[in-house]
Amino acid sequence: MEVANRTYRDVLRDRRLAGLLVGDLLANMGTGMIIVAMPVQTLSIHGGVPKAIAIGIVEAAPFVLSTVLALAIGLGRVRVPPRTLLVADCVLRALTFAVLGVLAVTERLTLPILVFGLLFGATFRMAGSSSRRLLATSMAGEHGRFAVNGLLGLNLTFALYIVGPVAGGLIVATTSAGVALFFDACGALILLVAVLVSVPRALTARAAGERQATAERQATGARQADEGRQAATGGQAAAEVQATGGGTTAGGRQATAERQAAAEGWATGGETTTGETQAAGAVTAQERASASRESGWRILRRRPVAARLLVVEFFFNFLYMPIEVALPLYVQAKLNAGASGLGLMWGALGVGAFIGAALVNQLRNLPQRHVLIAIIGLWAMCPIALAFVDDLALALIVFGLGGLVWAPFTPVAYSFLQSGLRPDEQQQVVTLWTTGATVAAPLGLALGGPLVEVAGSAGGLILSGGLTLLLLPIAAMAVLRREPGPAARLAGSSP
């Protein structure tokens, strides 16, 4: 009997998991506050550096070393337990922002100090972000993975788009931008406590032990299958003895292979014969023996669905970013509204995204392949429709609906990705995905400036939506195209 995915309420009954998710929420709120505070702080200390360049340098600094480390984990063979990475990220972030906060409120903070502080203080930023997801989903188990990814998306949306910027704006307005830096340090400390209390130190070791036991059982099953085939070729009598005396064992091996094939369904298209599952058992046992030494790049080459999904994830985020460049100009030129109108537009997107993230739970039993394709298509229509709207009230509705359909993309994509990866493949691939999605943002902004300059605000919106629509056939090929099973791949290499 198939077990349904667990709901938000089900996974939150686990106090340890709930504690980790609360720590994640509060840490994200601190990050949301500095979204407002950091540009203000930069403008107060930019000196002779042009304002736009100073803000660009400060915004880019946290990505440099964190990208290098994340790529070392995702593409190389650097292996650090996710719990250790997240603890290191929390400690370094708390110390960095506490020091920067002290220097800011005492008026001793300079632009070079701020840049170098963010450069080194965010070293574990991307690795820590992927570690949060890995730890939370591993604690929830296979059937709680979808709900946990949804809750992580809900945390991020609520903190970064609703509460964090509002709280950061109030703090900056009533005190100073330097004070907001302390709140980010406090958020990192809260997450540190949540990790130390909620995530057991033995979690990684226990998971590794379970993987080793599974690999040993599969290797034993593969050897027994080989012995059975050799006995079958010895003669009819031997075959009859095998059939009568070993029926239970053969049935157990077949059931084990079928369960494994089902678990890796997206890698094979979900259609695998009994012969293919026996071959899969032998191949997978061999793969798992060396999995801890594999790079994320090798895993992606072996898992083409994951590789194609990474491309879709990157360009989905990349093509969104020109909207952030076009929206202020669109609000001013076409809606005839000022800063308050821009704030309302972002608020509408945030409210829509929050509702969409909350509704992810309702999508848990739908076909995730088709949900992903539908999200891409519906979101692409949002900026195109927005370009033809010249009324603020209607624009708020369109942008809010865009947030509603956009928010589920990340949790659904990660859940679909993780469902086709073994536990020993999760860290490399998820870290690589997080890096790709994060790096897409500054690259998309770099493209967005010249694009909007040439096409105008409305034209930039249309191009963003139109190019996203071109992702639909790529996404359909990525998630709907079926891969040959292990036996077919082996047969293809034989005469």
Side-chain angles (χ1 to χ4, degrees):
M1 179 179 178
E2 185 178 355
V3 180
N5 287 323
R6 297 162 65 191
T7 65
Y8 285 175
R9 182 177 298 179
D10 292 335
V11 299
L12 289 175
R13 289 195 181 104
D14 184 338
R15 293 184 178 180
R16 289 181 179 270
L17 181 56
L20 179 61
L21 290 172
V22 169
D24 173 73
L25 173 64
L26 296 177
N28 283 329
M29 287 177 62
T31 303
M33 292 180 191
I34 64 170
I35 289 177
V36 176
M38 195 59 71
V40 175
Q41 182 64 54
T42 303
L43 291 176
S44 68
I45 60 173
H46 71 94
V49 180
K51 296 179 180 180
I53 294 177
I55 292 176
I57 293 173
V58 168
E59 295 292 335
F63 292 98
V64 179
L65 293 181
S66 62
T67 300
V68 173
L69 177 62
L71 290 177
I73 295 172
L75 294 177
R77 298 186 177 185
V78 176
R79 295 294 172 266
V80 182
R83 185 179 187 272
T84 302
L85 285 171
L86 186 50
V87 167
D89 181 44
C90 293
V91 171
L92 188 58
R93 189 176 184 88
L95 289 174
T96 299
F97 279 91
V99 171
L100 292 177
V102 170
L103 293 176
V105 296
T106 57
E107 299 183 352
R108 289 183 291 176
L109 183 63
T110 63
L111 184 61
I113 292 176
L114 178 61
V115 170
F116 281 106
L118 294 175
L119 181 71
F120 291 100
T123 301
F124 296 95
R125 174 178 176 172
M126 293 186 193
S129 177
S130 61
S131 295
R132 296 188 204 185
R133 189 177 302 275
L134 289 168
L135 291 173
T137 53
S138 65
M139 291 171 70
E142 178 183 352
H143 298 293
R145 182 186 296 128
F146 193 91
V148 166
N149 278 320
L151 287 168
L152 288 171
L154 188 64
N155 280 356
L156 198 65
T157 302
F158 182 72
L160 293 187
Y161 288 97
I162 299 178
V163 176
V166 173
L170 290 174
I171 291 170
V172 171
T174 56
T175 56
S176 68
V179 174
L181 302 181
F182 287 114
F183 280 89
D184 192 62
C186 290
L189 286 176
I190 292 171
L191 179 58
L192 174 63
V193 173
V195 172
L196 295 176
V197 172
S198 301
V199 181
R201 186 183 297 271
L203 180 65
T204 304
R206 185 170 63 249
E210 291 172 356
R211 290 195 298 271
Q212 182 179 355
T214 301
E216 289 174 352
R217 287 195 299 270
Q218 290 172 339
T220 301
R223 287 195 300 271
Q224 291 174 346
D226 290 336
E227 292 171 359
R229 285 192 296 272
Q230 291 172 1
T233 59
Q236 182 66 31
E240 290 175 355
V241 171
Q242 177 69 16
T244 56
T248 303
T249 303
R253 289 196 302 271
Q254 179 176 342
T256 301
E258 289 174 350
R259 284 194 298 270
Q260 180 187 328
E264 300 182 1
W266 66 247
T268 63
E271 297 176 355
T272 311
T273 65
T274 301
E276 287 174 337
T277 56
Q278 290 176 345
V283 172
T284 306
Q286 186 178 11
E287 289 174 351
R288 294 191 184 202
S290 61
S292 60
R293 299 187 299 273
E294 282 190 309
S295 68
W297 178 249
R298 290 191 62 185
I299 295 171
L300 289 178
R301 291 180 63 186
R302 195 175 67 248
R303 307 280 196 184
V305 174
R308 293 195 296 264
L309 275 174
L310 175 59
V311 174
V312 173
E313 167 86 3
F314 176 85
F315 281 103
F316 185 77
N317 288 285
F318 177 80
L319 294 173
Y320 157 79
M321 298 313 295
I323 296 175
E324 296 203 358
V325 179
L327 194 65
L329 303 175
Y330 164 80
V331 169
Q332 183 180 28
K334 195 150 188 177
L335 300 183
N336 296 316
S340 60
L342 181 61
L344 288 173
M345 289 292 289
W346 285 120
L349 180 72
V351 171
F354 179 75
I355 296 172
L359 292 177
V360 168
N361 188 43
Q362 307 304 317
L363 306 176
R364 65 186 184 277
N365 294 320
L366 295 179
Q368 295 178 25
R369 302 168 184 263
H370 301 90
V371 170
L372 282 172
I373 295 172
I375 290 172
I376 293 172
L378 290 172
W379 164 254
M381 298 304 296
C382 169
I384 295 175
L386 197 63
F388 296 96
V389 173
D390 56 7
D391 178 72
L392 179 59
L394 185 57
L396 293 174
I397 294 174
V398 172
F399 214 38
L401 290 174
L404 180 71
V405 300
W406 164 74
F409 178 81
T410 297
V412 173
Y414 271 104
S415 297
F416 183 64
L417 170 75
Q418 290 181 281
S419 69
L421 296 172
R422 299 194 307 264
D424 44 32
E425 297 172 335
Q426 298 271 340
Q427 184 181 28
Q428 303 96 301
V429 177
V430 171
T431 302
L432 200 57
W433 261 53
T434 302
T435 306
T438 305
V439 171
L443 294 178
L445 286 172
L447 171 70
L451 187 70
V452 173
E453 182 68 26
V454 172
S457 59
L461 293 173
I462 293 173
L463 282 174
S464 175
L467 292 173
T468 304
L469 279 177
L470 294 180
L471 273 182
L472 277 176
I474 301 174
M477 181 184 70
V479 301
L480 296 179
R481 192 173 79 181
R482 300 187 182 280
E483 298 297 325
R489 290 195 295 269
L490 292 174
S493 62
S494 61

